[in-house]
Amino acid sequence: MNASTLGTSVPQVNARSKVLGRAQYAGDIKLAGMLHGKVLRSPHPHARIVRIDATPALALPGVKAVVTGADGPQVPWGVHHKERLTLARDVVRFAGEEVAAVAATSEETARDALDLIEVEYEELPALLTPEQALEPQASRIHPGRDDNIAHQIRFERGDVDAAFARAHLVHEATYTTHSQYPGYMEPMASVAAIDADGRLQVWTSTQSAFLVRARLAAVLELPVSRVRVIQATTGGGFGGKIIEDANSLIAGLLALRTGKPVRLVNNRLEDFLACATSVPEHITLKLGMDREGCILAKDVRIVADCGAYSGLSAEVMHVSAMRSDNMHRNGNVRSHATLVYTHTPPHGAFRGFGGTQMLFALNSQIDAMARQLDLDPLDVHRRNAIERGATSVHGWKIGSTGLVECLAQCADAIGWSTRRSRNAVHGAKRRGLGLAAAMHVSGNRTIGDWDGSTVMLKINEDGRVVLHSSEADMGQGAMTMLSQVVAHELDIPLEHVHVVAPDTDSSPWCIGSLASRVTMAAGNAAILAARAARGKLLDQAASMLQLPAEALKCAGGAVCVADAPQRSLTLAELARAHLWRHGGEGIQVSGSWDARTDMFDKTTLMGNIAPAYSFAAQAVEVEVDTETGQVTLVDSFVSDDCGKALNPQAVHGQSNGAAAQAIGWTLYEQLQLDAGRIVNGNFADYTMPSPDALPMLRSGIVESNDPNGPYGAKGASETAILPGPAAIANAVFDAVGVRIRDLPITPEKVLAALRRREESRHA
Amino acid sequence: MNASTLGTSVPQVNARSKVLGRAQYAGDIKLAGMLHGKVLRSPHPHARIVRIDATPALALPGVKAVVTGADGPQVPWGVHHKERLTLARDVVRFAGEEVAAVAATSEETARDALDLIEVEYEELPALLTPEQALEPQASRIHPGRDDNIAHQIRFERGDVDAAFARAHLVHEATYTTHSQYPGYMEPMASVAAIDADGRLQVWTSTQSAFLVRARLAAVLELPVSRVRVIQATTGGGFGGKIIEDANSLIAGLLALRTGKPVRLVNNRLEDFLACATSVPEHITLKLGMDREGCILAKDVRIVADCGAYSGLSAEVMHVSAMRSDNMHRNGNVRSHATLVYTHTPPHGAFRGFGGTQMLFALNSQIDAMARQLDLDPLDVHRRNAIERGATSVHGWKIGSTGLVECLAQCADAIGWSTRRSRNAVHGAKRRGLGLAAAMHVSGNRTIGDWDGSTVMLKINEDGRVVLHSSEADMGQGAMTMLSQVVAHELDIPLEHVHVVAPDTDSSPWCIGSLASRVTMAAGNAAILAARAARGKLLDQAASMLQLPAEALKCAGGAVCVADAPQRSLTLAELARAHLWRHGGEGIQVSGSWDARTDMFDKTTLMGNIAPAYSFAAQAVEVEVDTETGQVTLVDSFVSDDCGKALNPQAVHGQSNGAAAQAIGWTLYEQLQLDAGRIVNGNFADYTMPSPDALPMLRSGIVESNDPNGPYGAKGASETAILPGPAAIANAVFDAVGVRIRDLPITPEKVLAALRRREESRHA
């Protein structure tokens, strides 16, 4: 028997629990005496809080606590800047900002209590766009700052101006990207309680139990050891559940204030108001190419809007400003990115983490310039693609790349060479093909000069394994990946590995699921842990069989003599024998792995921040209705270089999910604000693509076998969200000759562009 | 600052949670959709189950499951013999045996459902005493056995007959000991649920989470990895919560059958019926002494009653048969012990574990013989006491003994030399002094050739420690002891150590809290774990301070330079630095310790089974009312040789609690059976000593500094339950000249003995 499932498609190990309804999401948790929390939010994008009177709310029977900014935590939170209070004090800076929190005996009572909190606001002028906020006379959104700039990035490598000067073609254009709601099925939810020892215990839907613990401790002014965070089953994250919302903070606050368990579950509107949506960016991109389409110089100016609080937006913009440079050979790059506060709901981390915005611009521009140079954009991508072994312009060491293979796979799948620019016509409908390329990281050292992970394993007396990690499974498959790795190393069935959900009391310290780091960091740690366990098993068997450990191997749930496999001891026998003996102990081991990467230099921003880089490409076919402007996706093929697909089905699932989310952002989803207020915070009006809006999504895998990856694997499929928007825009151009640079590509914009093109033709 | 509390009195670290009502006992746990279990018990000591009809019960609205022996688990449980079904099938063997179990939506409905289960019994003759059961024509209580003997022990060392032949005084007498209910404040309670992965998860009041898991897995036919056991706060155990009741099994069974959480909490009567009470023994003891009171030979015959199922009674009887031999120098010992099944409620483990029974006989006999030899019993004890460094008659290596010091301390405290046999008279009341000695183990290898423990530590970013062990705190102070050890080794405040309750998923494998093994095994493991953590902290500081680790030390929550203490890094700084660096990881270490002891030889029963042996003595003063026969304890001083008192207050608390329990057994408590049925299963009729029945209990500590113990410590105060009964009986003799050999010492027995003595005087 070889039990390994590595490289084969297996269902997620936690799929059954979800399908059967047994999985415990935070909203499923009921504790004795549990209260329900609700949050009062500002209706105004900018206002002074003149007065809050909670007395009428507190008088409502069943209301146990009302907390306002005045008596709430005074320690601000945030990643780049600690600037956001759990509950606003004196001033509200966006419509939706948390102003008061209620705990009551029922959700209905809590909701009713919100209506009884009297808040007197003095409305103030709101700065709703970066342009307004950047005006010299604009008021300061945050006191004590010189301007409304949250963060700036500037760098130049090579000699950009000289390179532009010698370029055959220089093209500059401005692209506008909008904000996307993460759209996870499970809204933010937490249950907080005071444990027997008076510690704060929080079950929450999160991508990182330890980051949540750190923030709870800091803001609620508790030592981290007085806080325990357990990841409840998490129904999607997409970056929005890293550390960008106040849900767990408010639940924790209310539990501390009442001494009772408190459940705080966002409904969908609350979640729209509370979460960080992706960072909208205006990107002015200038590229210079030689005749063959080789990029000689790149200059980019970004103005990004973080909303009222900067959260992770600075890091997101950093990615927009730099990451895509590393997929090309070009050494002349310049970037100036400015993150601006506005009186709008905060933005932040989102699947793709700033890559999506820049790659929309870059891939659109490459397509446009290739056309100007009469080159096949596919060739231009290939020609510019960085090669394995290269060090990129920012010092990134490309240990593996399957970008060219991804491009080829997409081109083949979509019929690029034979079907491009044929403009098939069906009445008023035109078809076209588009293509784009992307890269992403697999890990990121810059969080704190550590990008490691620890996995702890116990082998039970039945020879099965319990695995502790605090890298979160939020649906992407971390638990399955870890199970596969350990089952492979020990040659036991996948079901014989049980992965325990992250719990800061018992799980090893991990950063969590972000930056596509889990397969890389935790996968490698799991290999080390499993091999440490195997070492103990082999040593135990060696002493029982009176043979050197080198003569033995793990096979089929047992350790056997390599030359005489019938001589074997089951892992169960070995685990028991390891315990019940002189000097015995249960088999319990851990493995830690840290990427051999570099923290970037703070002034030069140079440094190999990730142990591996993932690549992807996507080709799509669209049909554009020239009468309505409607763009319909007819076909899509996304190809992901995940290094090695440990679970191809999971990679395809993630790739197709990413593609769908990219399609939604490009064609359908649009967060609509009216005077700073979200007006479509529900799934009826915020139109994520339903199945009938999508073609049968197709995906492919490229295995570039990264030298640092576990079995060659890299982070899978976050890259797959990146190329879609430009591929669609390029296909629209291919179909009808208009280039939409302002997302989303709505029928109105297409029609208007078609009209302008007609007018210019007739002019 | 030296933060160590070692050797000083500190409140239990979990006292606050209990006082505040925050501690979660199993009965406090509420889960969504939770059902309530109830158990139908046999009213007959012996009967054939002719028919069970659960249909009417199942028809009651709210009843979700009724399980009977026929469709219940078919795998029997038990320690020495696997012979007891979770629910009786075909035959019931004691009044109280589990016949059916119900799960319903409320406790009331479950209780009502019990009345609706129709059971037709055919009553069979019951064998209610060992004498009846041992008669040759007695029916077999368990099928397939040759007789009703559950276990026998026979051994002889030295030349017992020759030694008796040369003895100056040979005395033989028979002693009768009765059964004691453990009387913990919290009855047995469990909550069982099916977790998201379909695994069985059980919170239970237990002394050993891992033994409970093993039994659940075996009986319910699940791999151990499919079972998770978490120790709920446990309100006392006293041996009764090791593994002797079916509470967790039935809760687990009902959860599996219903798929719902099920809570099963015994009320007090149910607990009396369900639990194992201590093993009643008839002990016929023959001792030979020389003129100076040196014991030359010992012969003992024990007939012990295990009730209907043997449970841990064989192990208990083993202790009765052997252990007290090891406290004396005498090398001529013979034992024949027979454990007999009867149709009565099962007996088993109880604080003192068989020592109490035998030490009542032995200490009574020594007192009687000392008087016959006109010697001071204190001198006789001293003269016979085994010395440090000796190997006892059974091969036990006495690394430390404070027995002589314990005796001296008691004698001093009670005024032995000046007040003994003075027979102070107050009207009809006579006073007298009595004294007794005892020994116990600190650990026991015989459970499975391992007597180890593993402690796992994590150091959080605030420099505080999380400790994982699965040795249970059931009120005796394991959590506090572990906290003290770690706080001492790292020189941090006690409150900076958080001990996590045992959880088989995350805690290391441990045997649990029995055989006074936890301070020895887990204390030593905690030292090793803390030193491993300290090593990591010192290494981290060494690299940061550019000094050799040998130049550094842990002090006051920091690592400082030994020669320049002002140069220091806090543990918080070090923990963060250990994580956030190249090759970093959270500080997580474990330490395992296993006693260097021997499994006894199965034929000779020789072997040094424990790493250390504890000793104790007790002196009491009683007042006997010669008109009523009432014995009142006037004073009591128990002295415990715990090696080293890590927490003197805790040792005193345990010693005094043990003394109270011994006093209860000796004077007040009596489990009353009528035709095999417990008739006083409540705290009104089962009269545990209330405070007004006890004098101000006094206790002393002797620190013999065992070479194997953590800082010299041994298991504390289980020994302290052992000497009390004989000390009281001896004091009664001292007061009024009658010797009660049949416990409890009731007024009726005293009066009858006084009458007999009067009659014999006048005869």
Side-chain angles (χ1 to χ4, degrees):
Chain A
M1 175 181 100
N2 185 306
S4 177
T5 64
L6 266 194
T8 66
S9 287
V10 292
Q12 298 288 334
V13 294
N14 46 4
R16 194 177 177 79
S17 70
K18 294 178 181 174
V19 172
L20 292 174
R22 279 179 179 159
Q24 285 264 313
Y25 296 86
D28 294 324
I29 296 172
K30 277 190 199 174
L31 300 177
M34 190 173 76
L35 304 175
H36 298 263
K38 277 285 171 196
V39 177
L40 183 70
R41 297 173 182 281
S42 165
H44 307 297
H46 189 203
R48 194 164 67 81
I49 300 173
V50 178
R51 189 182 64 87
I52 302 190
D53 186 1
T55 321
L58 276 165
L60 184 68
V63 172
K64 299 299 180 188
V66 180
V67 188
T68 66
D71 60 349
Q74 301 303 315
V75 176
W77 60 274
V79 175
H80 213 81
H81 302 301
K82 307 284 181 214
E83 63 191 4
R84 183 167 175 182
L85 289 175
T86 307
L87 299 168
R89 197 185 56 210
D90 306 328
V91 174
V92 290
R93 295 184 176 85
F94 71 95
E97 183 160 10
E98 295 81 358
V99 168
V102 171
T105 48
S106 76
E107 205 168 345
E108 293 69 25
T109 305
R111 198 185 50 210
D112 291 349
L114 295 187
D115 296 337
L116 297 174
I117 301 172
E118 294 171 6
V119 190
E120 185 184 328
Y121 293 102
E122 177 194 347
E123 282 192 69
L124 299 170
L127 302 165
L128 297 178
T129 64
E131 292 70 29
Q132 292 170 7
L134 287 174
E135 282 181 12
Q137 77 283 12
S139 63
R140 301 292 170 260
I141 292 173
H142 290 279
R145 299 192 73 93
D146 295 336
D147 52 34
N148 289 321
I149 294 175
H151 187 58
Q152 285 201 78
I153 296 164
R154 279 175 195 271
F155 61 80
E156 178 166 354
R157 314 242 192 267
D159 188 337
V160 175
D161 291 330
F164 273 123
R166 70 170 189 274
H168 174 71
L169 172 66
V170 173
H171 183 79
E172 179 172 325
T174 295
Y175 301 84
T176 306
T177 62
H178 64 120
S179 191
Q180 186 171 21
Y181 171 69
Y184 31 64
M185 284 294 97
E186 182 213 17
M188 311 275 188
S190 306
V191 174
I194 309 303
D195 80 1
D197 293 324
R199 303 190 316 149
L200 178 64
Q201 183 165 346
V202 179
W203 293 260
T204 189
S205 180
T206 183
Q207 297 176 227
S208 174
F210 275 95
L211 294 183
V212 169
R213 185 180 74 165
R215 191 182 58 172
L216 281 164
V219 172
L220 301 175
E221 298 185 74
L222 298 167
V224 290
S225 295
R226 300 289 297 164
V227 182
R228 177 186 182 189
V229 175
I230 300 167
Q231 190 208 359
T233 303
T234 299
F238 308 117
K241 290 182 183 168
I242 297 174
I243 192 79
E244 298 258 73
D245 71 299
N247 185 277
S248 55
L249 266 184
I250 295 174
L253 170 66
L254 291 172
L256 286 171
R257 290 296 165 96
T258 59
K260 298 278 185 188
V262 177
R263 187 162 82 188
L264 182 64
V265 181
N266 288 353
N267 64 27
R268 189 58 66 179
L269 172 59
E270 290 163 342
D271 205 78
F272 267 89
L273 295 171
C275 84
T277 52
S278 71
V279 179
E281 298 181 358
H282 288 260
I283 299 168
T284 301
L285 177 62
K286 182 172 158 190
L287 279 186
M289 284 184 181
D290 68 12
R291 248 177 239 279
E292 284 70 42
C294 291
I295 301 169
L296 300 179
K298 179 185 174 198
D299 176 283
V300 66
R301 277 155 290 148
I302 300 173
V303 176
D305 180 356
C306 63
Y309 298 99
S310 59
L312 276 160
S313 292
E315 286 69 23
V316 168
M317 186 182 72
H318 191 116
V319 168
S320 299
M322 295 190 69
R323 189 168 293 168
S324 63
D325 297 345
N326 301 282
M327 70 190 256
H328 291 151
R329 298 159 188 252
N330 171 39
N332 302 303
V333 296
R334 184 162 57 206
S335 207
H336 178 198
T338 306
L339 186 67
V340 185
Y341 291 113
T342 59
H343 287 118
T344 63
H347 304 289
F350 193 99
R351 195 183 209 173
F353 207 86
T356 332
Q357 293 89 324
M358 185 63 208
L359 283 159
F360 169 63
L362 183 61
N363 279 291
S364 294
Q365 189 108 333
I366 287 172
D367 187 77
M369 292 175 76
R371 286 173 183 274
Q372 291 179 52
L373 292 170
D374 204 21
L375 297 170
D376 182 341
L378 176 62
D379 291 333
V380 173
H381 279 293
R382 282 180 180 143
R383 213 159 282 168
N384 284 290
I386 198 159
E387 70 275 30
R388 177 189 187 107
T391 297
S392 77
V393 62
H394 298 311
W396 295 14
K397 292 171 184 159
I398 310 299
S400 65
T401 165
L403 178 55
V404 169
E405 293 80 359
C406 286
L407 287 161
Q409 209 177 56
C410 291
D412 280 356
I414 209 83
W416 184 259
S417 59
T418 56
R419 300 180 55 245
R420 184 175 75 97
S421 303
R422 295 297 157 94
N423 289 314
V425 178
H426 303 273
K429 293 175 179 171
R430 304 279 189 285
R431 291 200 169 188
L433 301 187
L435 179 139
M439 84 173 291
H440 195 62
V441 292
S442 297
N444 191 334
R445 186 159 211 92
T446 66
I447 292 157
D449 201 16
W450 179 63
D451 193 19
S453 195
T454 300
V455 164
M456 202 249 285
L457 299 181
K458 298 205 309 166
I459 303 189
N460 277 328
E461 310 95 279
D462 55 6
R464 301 187 183 197
V465 175
V466 178
L467 186 152
H468 291 266
S469 156
S470 45
E471 308 295 6
D473 195 320
M474 68 272 201
Q476 92 282 29
M479 283 185 173
T480 309
M481 179 277 294
L482 291 169
S483 299
Q484 284 185 288
V485 168
V486 172
H488 173 77
E489 290 294 329
L490 298 177
D491 200 36
I492 56 176
L494 190 62
E495 316 75 77
H496 285 197
V497 184
H498 176 74
V499 181
V500 177
D503 175 341
T504 56
D505 264 10
S506 55
S507 309
W509 217 104
C510 295
I511 290 170
S513 295
L514 48 94
S516 289
R517 56 183 299 287
V518 172
T519 294
M520 179 60 68
N524 274 314
I527 291 177
L528 294 173
R531 289 179 186 169
R534 192 170 65 194
K536 293 215 173 205
L537 291 163
L538 292 178
D539 287 347
Q540 182 63 37
S543 85
M544 293 168 77
L545 297 170
Q546 303 276 303
L547 285 169
E550 298 69 37
L552 307 174
K553 63 172 187 177
C554 276
V559 170
C560 67
V561 181
D563 296 340
Q566 70 286 0
R567 280 191 71 194
S568 70
L569 291 158
T570 65
L571 298 198
E573 288 166 335
L574 291 167
R576 288 194 295 265
H578 192 270
L579 178 66
W580 297 105
R581 65 182 168 103
H582 264 261
E585 58 179 351
I587 297 179
Q588 182 174 321
V589 297
S590 69
S592 286
W593 186 88
D594 183 26
R596 280 190 221 88
T597 48
D598 307 316
M599 187 74 177
F600 59 63
D601 181 279
K602 281 196 177 156
T603 45
T604 66
L605 306 181
M606 288 283 284
N608 182 44
I609 57 164
Y613 301 96
S614 303
F615 294 86
Q618 187 167 1
V620 302
E621 181 171 7
V622 301
E623 185 170 81
V624 182
D625 187 325
T626 55
E627 291 179 347
T628 65
Q630 177 75 45
V631 176
T632 304
L633 210 67
V634 176
D635 194 9
S636 165
F637 191 97
V638 63
S639 177
D640 190 71
D641 164 24
C642 57
K644 160 82 182 168
L646 302 183
N647 185 0
Q649 174 177 290
V651 176
H652 286 294
Q654 286 293 301
S655 288
N656 288 329
Q661 205 161 24
I663 293 162
W665 187 55
T666 311
L667 295 177
Y668 303 111
E669 301 174 36
Q670 188 163 19
L671 207 59
Q672 290 171 345
L673 272 71
D674 178 13
R677 297 174 182 88
I678 293 174
V679 295
N680 64 339
N682 62 72
F683 281 160
D685 298 318
Y686 181 85
T687 49
M688 289 169 70
S690 53
D692 64 351
L694 296 171
M696 181 67 182
L697 294 169
R698 298 192 292 147
S699 54
I701 289 168
V702 166
E703 297 189 327
S704 60
N705 282 300
D706 194 89
N708 290 328
Y711 318 107
K714 305 190 275 197
S717 301
E718 188 172 359
T719 326
I721 199 175
L722 304 174
I728 294 170
N730 293 343
V732 169
F733 188 90
D734 192 55
V736 295
V738 303
R739 184 160 298 282
I740 309 296
R741 295 192 185 85
D742 173 22
L743 290 180
I745 303 176
T746 58
E748 294 78 5
K749 290 181 192 169
V750 173
L751 271 189
L754 286 170
R755 205 173 306 120
R756 277 198 302 277
R757 197 191 54 171
E758 285 305 303
E759 286 165 6
S760 67
R761 275 191 188 164
H762 294 97
Chain B
M1 176 180 101
N2 186 308
S4 178
T5 65
L6 266 193
T8 65
S9 286
V10 293
Q12 299 288 332
V13 294
N14 47 4
R16 194 176 178 80
S17 70
K18 294 178 181 175
V19 172
L20 292 174
R22 279 180 180 158
Q24 285 264 313
Y25 295 86
D28 294 324
I29 296 171
K30 277 190 197 173
L31 300 177
M34 190 174 76
L35 304 176
H36 298 264
K38 277 283 172 195
V39 177
L40 183 70
R41 297 175 181 280
S42 166
H44 307 297
H46 189 203
R48 195 164 67 81
I49 300 173
V50 178
R51 189 181 63 87
I52 302 189
D53 186 0
T55 322
L58 277 165
L60 184 70
V63 173
K64 298 300 180 188
V66 180
V67 188
T68 67
D71 60 350
Q74 301 302 313
V75 176
W77 61 274
V79 175
H80 213 81
H81 303 300
K82 306 284 180 214
E83 62 191 4
R84 183 167 176 182
L85 289 175
T86 307
L87 299 169
R89 196 185 58 210
D90 306 329
V91 174
V92 289
R93 295 185 176 84
F94 72 94
E97 183 161 9
E98 294 83 357
V99 168
V102 170
T105 48
S106 76
E107 205 168 346
E108 294 69 25
T109 305
R111 197 185 51 209
D112 290 349
L114 295 187
D115 297 335
L116 297 174
I117 301 172
E118 295 172 5
V119 190
E120 185 183 328
Y121 292 102
E122 177 195 346
E123 282 193 67
L124 298 170
L127 301 166
L128 297 179
T129 65
E131 293 69 31
Q132 291 170 7
L134 287 174
E135 283 181 12
Q137 78 283 11
S139 63
R140 300 292 169 262
I141 291 173
H142 289 281
R145 298 192 74 94
D146 295 337
D147 51 35
N148 289 322
I149 294 175
H151 187 58
Q152 285 201 76
I153 296 163
R154 279 174 194 270
F155 61 80
E156 178 166 354
R157 313 242 191 266
D159 189 336
V160 175
D161 291 329
F164 273 123
R166 70 169 189 274
H168 175 71
L169 173 66
V170 174
H171 184 80
E172 179 173 324
T174 295
Y175 301 83
T176 305
T177 62
H178 63 121
S179 192
Q180 186 172 19
Y181 171 70
Y184 30 64
M185 283 295 97
E186 182 214 16
M188 311 273 187
S190 306
V191 174
I194 309 303
D195 81 2
D197 293 325
R199 302 190 318 149
L200 179 63
Q201 184 165 344
V202 179
W203 293 261
T204 190
S205 180
T206 183
Q207 298 176 228
S208 174
F210 275 96
L211 293 183
V212 169
R213 184 179 77 163
R215 191 182 59 171
L216 281 164
V219 172
L220 300 175
E221 299 185 75
L222 298 167
V224 289
S225 295
R226 301 289 297 163
V227 182
R228 177 185 182 190
V229 175
I230 300 167
Q231 190 208 359
T233 303
T234 299
F238 308 117
K241 290 182 182 169
I242 297 174
I243 191 80
E244 298 257 73
D245 70 300
N247 185 277
S248 56
L249 266 184
I250 294 174
L253 169 65
L254 291 172
L256 286 171
R257 289 297 164 93
T258 59
K260 298 277 184 187
V262 177
R263 187 163 82 187
L264 182 65
V265 180
N266 287 352
N267 64 28
R268 189 58 66 179
L269 172 59
E270 289 164 342
D271 204 79
F272 267 90
L273 295 171
C275 84
T277 52
S278 72
V279 178
E281 298 182 358
H282 288 259
I283 299 168
T284 300
L285 176 62
K286 183 173 159 190
L287 280 186
M289 282 184 182
D290 68 11
R291 249 176 239 278
E292 283 72 40
C294 290
I295 300 169
L296 301 180
K298 178 186 173 198
D299 176 285
V300 67
R301 277 156 290 148
I302 300 172
V303 176
D305 180 356
C306 62
Y309 298 100
S310 58
L312 276 161
S313 292
E315 286 68 22
V316 168
M317 185 181 73
H318 191 115
V319 168
S320 298
M322 295 190 69
R323 188 168 293 168
S324 62
D325 296 345
N326 301 282
M327 70 190 257
H328 291 150
R329 299 160 187 251
N330 171 40
N332 302 303
V333 296
R334 184 162 57 205
S335 207
H336 179 197
T338 306
L339 185 67
V340 185
Y341 291 114
T342 59
H343 287 117
T344 63
H347 303 290
F350 193 98
R351 195 184 210 172
F353 207 85
T356 331
Q357 294 89 324
M358 185 63 208
L359 283 160
F360 169 63
L362 183 61
N363 279 293
S364 293
Q365 190 107 335
I366 287 172
D367 188 77
M369 291 174 77
R371 287 172 183 275
Q372 289 179 52
L373 292 170
D374 203 22
L375 297 170
D376 182 342
L378 176 64
D379 291 333
V380 173
H381 279 293
R382 283 182 180 140
R383 212 159 282 169
N384 284 290
I386 198 161
E387 71 275 30
R388 180 189 183 107
T391 298
S392 77
V393 62
H394 298 311
W396 295 14
K397 291 172 185 158
I398 310 301
S400 66
T401 165
L403 179 55
V404 169
E405 293 79 0
C406 287
L407 287 161
Q409 209 176 56
C410 290
D412 281 355
I414 209 82
W416 183 259
S417 58
T418 55
R419 300 178 57 245
R420 185 175 73 97
S421 305
R422 296 297 157 97
N423 289 313
V425 179
H426 302 275
K429 293 175 180 172
R430 304 277 189 287
R431 289 198 170 187
L433 302 187
L435 179 140
M439 85 174 291
H440 194 63
V441 292
S442 297
N444 191 334
R445 185 158 211 94
T446 65
I447 292 156
D449 200 16
W450 180 63
D451 192 19
S453 195
T454 300
V455 163
M456 201 248 286
L457 299 181
K458 299 205 307 168
I459 302 188
N460 277 329
E461 310 95 278
D462 54 5
R464 302 187 182 197
V465 175
V466 178
L467 185 153
H468 291 267
S469 156
S470 46
E471 309 294 8
D473 195 319
M474 68 273 199
Q476 91 282 29
M479 284 185 172
T480 308
M481 179 276 295
L482 291 168
S483 298
Q484 285 186 287
V485 168
V486 172
H488 172 78
E489 290 293 330
L490 298 178
D491 199 35
I492 56 176
L494 191 63
E495 320 69 81
H496 286 197
V497 184
H498 176 75
V499 181
V500 178
D503 175 341
T504 57
D505 265 10
S506 55
S507 309
W509 217 104
C510 295
I511 290 170
S513 295
L514 48 95
S516 288
R517 57 182 297 288
V518 171
T519 294
M520 178 59 68
N524 273 312
I527 290 176
L528 295 173
R531 290 180 184 168
R534 192 170 64 195
K536 293 213 174 208
L537 291 163
L538 293 179
D539 288 347
Q540 181 64 37
S543 84
M544 292 168 77
L545 296 170
Q546 304 277 303
L547 284 169
E550 297 70 36
L552 307 175
K553 63 171 187 177
C554 275
V559 170
C560 67
V561 181
D563 295 340
Q566 70 287 2
R567 279 192 72 194
S568 70
L569 292 158
T570 66
L571 298 199
E573 288 167 335
L574 292 167
R576 289 195 294 266
H578 191 271
L579 178 66
W580 297 105
R581 64 182 169 105
H582 265 260
E585 58 178 353
I587 297 180
Q588 182 175 322
V589 297
S590 69
S592 287
W593 186 89
D594 183 27
R596 278 189 223 90
T597 47
D598 307 315
M599 186 74 177
F600 60 61
D601 181 279
K602 281 198 177 154
T603 44
T604 66
L605 306 180
M606 288 283 284
N608 182 44
I609 58 163
Y613 301 97
S614 304
F615 294 85
Q618 189 168 359
V620 302
E621 180 172 7
V622 301
E623 184 170 83
V624 183
D625 186 326
T626 55
E627 289 179 349
T628 65
Q630 178 75 44
V631 177
T632 304
L633 210 67
V634 175
D635 195 8
S636 164
F637 190 95
V638 64
S639 177
D640 190 70
D641 164 24
C642 58
K644 160 83 182 167
L646 302 183
N647 185 0
Q649 174 177 292
V651 176
H652 287 294
Q654 286 292 301
S655 288
N656 289 329
Q661 205 161 24
I663 293 162
W665 187 54
T666 309
L667 296 177
Y668 303 110
E669 300 175 37
Q670 188 163 20
L671 207 58
Q672 290 171 344
L673 272 72
D674 178 13
R677 296 173 183 88
I678 293 174
V679 295
N680 64 337
N682 61 73
F683 280 161
D685 298 318
Y686 181 86
T687 48
M688 289 169 69
S690 53
D692 64 353
L694 296 172
M696 183 65 182
L697 295 170
R698 298 192 292 146
S699 53
I701 289 169
V702 168
E703 297 189 327
S704 59
N705 282 301
D706 194 89
N708 290 328
Y711 318 107
K714 306 190 274 196
S717 300
E718 189 172 356
T719 326
I721 198 175
L722 304 174
I728 294 170
N730 293 343
V732 169
F733 188 90
D734 192 55
V736 294
V738 302
R739 184 159 298 281
I740 309 295
R741 295 192 185 86
D742 173 22
L743 291 180
I745 303 176
T746 59
E748 294 78 5
K749 290 180 194 170
V750 172
L751 270 189
L754 285 170
R755 205 173 306 121
R756 276 196 305 277
R757 199 192 54 168
E758 286 305 301
E759 287 163 7
S760 67
R761 276 192 187 165
H762 294 96

